[in-house]
Amino acid sequence: MGRGGTAMTLLDPSIDHHHPGDDDPQSHGPVVEEIEGLIKVFRDGLASRPSIVPFVSPSLPLGTGVESQDAVIDRFTNVWARLYAPTCQAEYKAKITAKLPLVVYFHGGGFCVGSPAWSCYHEFLARLTLEANICVVSVNYRLAPENPLPAAYEDGFKALKWLKQQALPPCNSLWPTGRRGWTRQCDFSQVFLAGDSAGANIAHNLAARLASNNSLEAMSLRPLELKGTILLQPFFGGEERTESEKSLVQPSRSALSLAASDTYWRLALPSGANRDHPWCNPATAYNHGPQGRLEDLMLPPTMVCISEKDILRDRNLQFCRAMAAAGKVVEDVVYEDVGHAFQVLSKSQVAQGRTKEMMSHIRSFINQ
């Protein structure tokens, strides 16, 4: 939909799927921050992001059993979403008749890079849509350092408000060429927040915002009902290193090294903040953060997917222990012999097997 309307607006080709860059970066002074191959930040604040991953359109090959389309959420800030819905059930190749759970997904990239239009996310979410028999909304949010936190969190909440409008009748949200209405396939009373890495951080912080006892925001989103969060290798940090951060040596092509992690946090956090900021460090978030004590939050069930060879492994396990100690329903799964973001970035036989396991676990969590 457009801003302030109720009907879905399909994405105009003029909307830039890429994030801001510059054709002549040398005119902007020396590089002050860099993650090789992903982002360079210059002295005047310009961020340059090489196209290391192909950007693709929402189209999918015929016969995949999934249809996809982009839609505008906020044209002014270039917040948009890629929508996925199955056209048949994976097991029986039968047409969908019942409404399906809705997963709102946030991509990874340290809050600084990434897009729903990246080919790796497009392929992963199309496959997850079919395998888990769900609808998916993959959100394009504003990136740091141009838009430091809490911009990504605010965009996540804006996406939920947009979904509320899609859920309210009358809604003329139709796929092009007369395809079945996307909103008529979604069960808005079964919404799950999900994401990988920084996207999992967004999903959790958004769930915590909605779970605050002194917040009426969850009620304001009705008829949306949040049933759970699905966190894939959530990107948390802290000033004190965990054992896996100190001891797990990452290969040169790793999706996340300790140095890259530190750089992402420097670029994403508000000026003057360190890695013990509540948005970064879940160990401090519920002692000094805006949401209050973890015990007091009405959080939905949470699933945390952890990679054995990920530097975030121990921090993710620490997060799960804190959730369990506070009486929250939390399910953790550790995937052996794989690293950070394996499900979107690795094509190895081991990673492909673990990805299939992950999708099965996600489907079971949603349907439990």
Side-chain angles (χ1 to χ4, degrees):
M1 71 166 190
R3 299 177 72 189
T6 56
M8 182 185 299
T9 300
L10 299 179
L11 191 64
D12 190 310
S14 65
I15 295 291
D16 185 10
H17 282 47
H18 297 69
H19 291 284
D22 193 293
D23 293 332
D24 185 23
Q26 293 185 357
S27 63
H28 297 275
V31 174
V32 295
E33 294 279 12
E34 180 177 8
I35 300 174
E36 187 176 358
L38 289 170
I39 187 170
K40 290 182 180 180
V41 181
F42 297 85
R43 184 170 58 190
D44 69 349
L46 172 79
S48 174
R49 300 173 178 88
S51 297
I52 191 171
V53 179
F55 286 76
V56 296
S57 74
S59 62
L60 290 163
L62 292 175
T64 59
V66 176
E67 53 187 358
S68 176
Q69 180 67 58
D70 292 346
V72 175
I73 294 176
D74 188 332
R75 190 178 300 273
F76 179 73
T77 57
N78 195 29
V79 177
W80 54 274
R82 181 157 292 183
L83 318 174
Y84 300 85
T87 57
C88 64
Q89 293 178 343
E91 296 97 329
Y92 311 110
K93 301 298 181 184
K95 290 184 178 180
I96 298 296
T97 55
K99 288 182 178 289
L100 303 176
L102 175 60
V103 171
V104 182
Y105 193 91
F106 301 94
H107 66 79
F111 304 103
C112 297
V113 299
S115 167
W118 271 15
S119 60
C120 54
Y121 283 110
H122 186 52
E123 294 164 5
F124 172 72
L125 291 176
R127 182 180 169 192
L128 180 64
T129 296
L130 186 63
E131 295 296 329
N133 201 29
I134 56 176
C135 294
V136 175
V137 174
S138 180
V139 179
N140 183 73
Y141 53 87
R142 287 171 292 169
L143 298 179
E146 301 94 331
N147 301 283
L149 295 174
Y153 304 147
E154 294 301 327
D155 291 346
F157 188 69
K158 183 180 295 184
L160 293 180
K161 290 194 293 184
W162 175 81
L163 277 172
K164 170 189 174 176
Q165 294 301 318
Q166 302 305 310
L168 293 174
C171 183
N172 298 316
S173 169
L174 296 176
W175 294 85
T177 65
R179 293 177 182 172
R180 187 179 181 187
W182 178 79
T183 57
R184 291 197 291 272
Q185 290 181 262
C186 299
D187 185 349
F188 291 103
S189 68
Q190 292 193 71
V191 176
F192 294 80
L193 299 178
D196 66 289
S197 195
N201 178 297
I202 295 170
H204 170 70
N205 277 289
L206 192 53
R209 172 177 172 173
L210 297 177
S212 175
N213 281 343
N214 60 3
S215 173
L216 298 177
E217 289 178 318
M219 294 180 60
S220 74
L221 292 174
R222 291 179 178 173
L224 303 187
E225 292 185 30
L226 180 59
K227 295 299 185 182
T229 57
I230 302 166
L231 312 181
L232 314 182
Q233 304 111 1
F235 186 42
F236 297 129
E239 288 297 308
E240 183 178 352
R241 303 297 193 191
T242 65
E243 187 60 33
S244 60
E245 288 171 342
K246 291 187 292 185
S247 63
L248 282 181
V249 178
Q250 299 297 297
S252 59
R253 295 179 61 84
S254 170
L256 186 69
S257 66
L258 189 58
S261 174
D262 289 350
T263 302
Y264 282 136
W265 283 119
R266 286 195 300 272
L267 295 175
L269 287 170
S271 178
N274 65 20
R275 293 190 305 275
D276 283 332
H277 189 283
W279 290 332
C280 174
N281 190 344
T284 65
Y286 303 106
N287 295 323
H288 311 291
Q291 291 97 1
R293 297 193 317 149
L294 180 57
E295 292 83 352
D296 298 332
L297 296 182
M298 302 296 291
L299 286 167
T302 300
M303 177 183 182
V304 185
C305 297
I306 303 166
S307 295
E308 182 187 31
K309 295 185 176 181
D310 187 358
I311 63 167
L312 299 180
R313 181 195 65 202
D314 290 349
R315 201 166 293 281
N316 290 174
L317 291 169
Q318 181 185 69
F319 169 78
C320 293
R321 289 193 295 269
M323 291 276 284
K328 307 307 170 188
V329 178
V330 59
E331 174 183 336
D332 65 88
V333 185
V334 179
Y335 297 91
E336 297 180 351
D337 298 321
V338 285
H340 191 74
F342 70 88
Q343 69 279 358
V344 290
L345 295 179
S346 177
K347 299 296 185 182
S348 74
Q349 186 174 356
V350 171
Q352 291 299 300
R354 297 292 182 266
T355 300
K356 187 174 181 178
E357 293 172 13
M358 176 184 283
M359 290 186 178
S360 177
H361 294 149
I362 292 172
R363 176 167 184 160
S364 296
F365 177 78
I366 290 173
N367 291 326
Q368 67 185 5

